[in-house]
Amino acid sequence: RVQRVAVDASGTSERWRGSIELRAADPELRIGGVPIGVMRPIALQAHVERERATVMIEEMRATLGTLTLRARGDATIEPWRVALAVESESAGAVTLATDRTPIQVSAFDGRVTIDHDGAALEPVRLHVDGAPVEVRGWITGIDPPALDVRVEGRPFDGTLAADLVLEPAGAARARVEVTDFDLARAVAWLAPDLRGRIEGRAAGASVLTARLVDGALVAGSLAGSGTFTLHGGRLHEVNLPDLVVAQIESISLMPRLVSARTRSRYADLFASRDTVIESARVPFTIGHSRLSTEQATLDNPAYQITGKGWIDEAQELRFHGSVLLGASVSRTLRDDVHAARYLAADDG
């Protein structure tokens, strides 16, 4: 909602100078009619000069939140085109308070060209929550939104490369690759409820498709496949060997499988509050509102877990797998508890 517009111009129809001032009071930022954030009032000031068919934009200033953008460029009437070099002042940021995690945007600079076909980003560089990001490509529609862009950045101390396409009819597709990122920081941002529960260096690649209506994801439309890998990881407050042993020992007439002596000898395995993940690899598919895997592998210095399963949007989890113990642990269990001979082979 525009609160105030002021125009001051002088000259002739062929040659004139002027200034424009605009202030918008609507705190809601929308794309394609969909609210994506709440902002402070937007202020825009521009000083322009026209000579015949060319308009020189001497200075344009826009304030979004505490982020001040400055632009210079030119415009032509026939064909209609506006080219701007944009940069932000050193201090300031704008926070998009979405219904998920708030996003802070700062340190903006780049070149934008607007014509009848849309807006070309050639490219645009900015910081998102402190991480540098570069975007290049086309935005060909706002209502409904449509775009074809390449995004590269360094979020969570890693690297990101993504190709994103959104068609006016709502069909969306993406190819995403991330490498060597800090999983603890990513989880804290993407899933705050799991903050502090997992760490490690992660990577992944996926190809995804989806459908959007009025800017919102259509339930069940997300589909695709990819692979996730993890190195040097740790699950906090979860000990997978203890969970497996507890399930086995809960079987009727099953004696204690791991003695106190074995637990003491392998304290890092059975007495730890955490699960150490030396490496993990999870190829996955997404479809019918589920993320599924047919061959997940988790390696620990003392054992390996392999299996398959799925998790759905309601966070219901089903997993069926096998635990392959190291030879030393397996022999100890066989010697320690007779019943373990039926569960542990000499080779693990």
Side-chain angles (χ1 to χ4, degrees), residues 27-42:
E28 207 166 49
L29 179 63
R30 295 172 174 265
I31 293 181
V34 178
I36 66 168
V38 177
M39 305 175 63
R40 296 183 180 181
I42 302 171

Side-chain angles (χ1 to χ4, degrees), residues 27-93:
E28 207 166 49
L29 179 63
R30 295 172 174 265
I31 293 181
V34 178
I36 66 168
V38 177
M39 305 175 63
R40 296 183 180 181
I42 302 171
L44 171 67
Q45 294 177 319
H47 299 283
V48 298
E49 178 179 354
R50 175 183 176 180
E51 184 168 356
R52 298 187 183 279
T54 301
V55 176
M56 302 303 298
I57 302 171
E58 298 174 351
E59 182 183 52
M60 180 181 293
R61 292 170 59 90
T63 303
L64 299 84
T66 61
L67 181 68
T68 298
L69 300 176
R70 307 179 70 170
R72 298 170 61 90
D74 61 79
T76 57
I77 307 301
E78 290 293 339
W80 185 83
R81 183 186 70 92
V82 179
L84 296 172
V86 186
E87 64 179 357
S88 64
E89 295 184 351
S90 57

